[in-house]
Amino acid sequence: MVDVRVQIRHPMESGSRKDEAGELIPAWYITRFSLTAGDRLLFAAQLGPGVARDPLLHIRVDGLAAGDEVLAAWEDSRGETQSDRARVEAL
Amino acid sequence: MNPRHNSDRRRLLTALRGLGLLALGGWTGVIRAASPVPLLTFKPVTLEAALREAGVDAVQPSEQLRLNAPDVAEDGSAVQISVSTSLPARRLLVLVEKNRIPLVASFEFPPGTRPFLATRIKMAGDSRVLAVVEADGRWFSAAREVRVTVGGCGG
């Protein structure tokens, strides 16, 4: 079993917070996330603004070996998309 | 499952930084699960309405579902929770009953991925936190009451 921990730097603004001038800060949060290894979908999520800033996702996956590459991809409420890759390491 | 005794386990630690990473891998799109879950909306509704809109009709408590959360969270802007189950769960919803928007997130575990999740959530104040999973076509829940010292603008 492989522990996969992903941390994404993102403000996850809820839309109900105010700035120092008392103005509402617009909502801006990650909406969708997926983790894949080649063609295999490992994990998918729909997130709302109730997920904490700089989201941390920790999941547990079978059938991966050291050296396998996984791809994390996400999209936010502004339609911005990002992705990153990492390799499974033996500890 | 004790993290102190997992030195034999392969582990992947990814630290993803949200800026400037697009060039690393190239965008391939967020891949959706094989059994498509409807696109959820995160709206200010009651807990019951949030569950209904997520497709949960009837739900029953299960001791086979474990939700770990602190009894007291000092900082409501990031409350660590984890969910694990011996049920063959393929979908998990996390909700905070008294947040303005109760539904926090929906997670999908395809075959080969264990029904386990740890993350950090926002809590506006004292509330019940719920984990609701779908297993064999039925919905099961576990709940924990969490007291929050300083609220975290729960979305």
Side-chain angles (χ1 to χ4, degrees):
Chain A
M1 184 186 75
V2 174
D3 278 290
V4 181
R5 290 181 175 85
V6 179
Q7 181 170 23
I8 305 171
R9 185 148 296 179
H10 199 286
M12 298 300 284
E13 282 295 346
S14 65
S16 59
R17 240 162 45 92
K18 290 181 178 170
D19 63 18
E20 286 162 6
E23 301 288 329
L24 275 180
I25 303 170
W28 182 25
Y29 56 91
I30 293 173
T31 52
R32 289 202 290 152
F33 174 87
S34 69
L35 191 77
T36 51
D39 291 338
R40 180 183 164 196
L41 178 68
L42 304 175
F43 178 69
Q46 294 184 50
L47 310 183
V51 174
R53 162 189 286 268
D54 297 338
L56 269 172
L57 296 169
H58 175 193
I59 63 166
R60 291 176 169 159
V61 180
D62 291 310
L64 288 178
D68 287 353
E69 188 177 72
V70 297
L71 172 75
W74 62 99
E75 181 178 336
D76 72 22
S77 57
R78 293 180 179 174
E80 293 172 12
T81 56
Q82 298 267 317
S83 65
D84 196 11
R85 295 165 193 271
R87 286 195 184 277
V88 176
E89 294 173 7
L91 290 189
Chain B
M1 297 300 245
N2 185 330
R4 288 185 196 133
H5 301 297
N6 65 356
S7 57
D8 57 335
R9 231 188 256 154
R10 285 186 295 265
R11 175 184 294 191
L12 170 74
L13 183 65
T14 52
L16 303 180
R17 299 293 176 243
L19 294 172
L21 287 175
L22 208 54
L24 278 180
W27 172 245
T28 58
V30 176
I31 298 169
R32 308 190 62 183
S35 58
V37 170
L39 204 57
L40 298 168
T41 55
F42 294 86
K43 292 187 298 195
V45 292
T46 62
L47 176 73
E48 292 71 25
L51 284 169
R52 208 163 44 238
E53 286 177 26
V56 182
D57 33 30
V59 61
Q60 64 185 89
S62 172
E63 290 183 356
Q64 290 173 271
L65 177 61
R66 283 192 59 165
L67 166 63
N68 289 309
D71 293 330
V72 179
E74 293 192 359
D75 177 8
S77 70
V79 180
Q80 178 78 36
I81 64 155
S82 68
V83 180
S84 59
T85 180
S86 55
L87 296 165
R90 290 279 154 252
R91 202 174 155 207
L92 162 68
L93 304 171
V94 174
L95 302 104
V96 177
E97 183 171 25
K98 291 184 182 163
N99 275 4
R100 192 175 67 92
I101 299 171
L103 181 61
V104 173
S106 164
F107 306 99
E108 294 160 63
F109 307 104
T113 297
R114 301 195 183 189
F116 166 85
L117 181 91
T119 191
R120 297 181 311 196
I121 64 173
K122 297 178 198 169
M123 294 187 67
D126 300 354
S127 177
R128 211 159 51 112
V129 177
L130 289 95
V132 181
V133 297
E134 183 179 33
D136 294 329
R138 291 159 67 200
W139 291 95
F140 302 92
S141 67
R144 287 286 297 268
E145 197 72 43
V146 177
R147 285 183 46 220
V148 177
T149 311
V150 179
C153 195

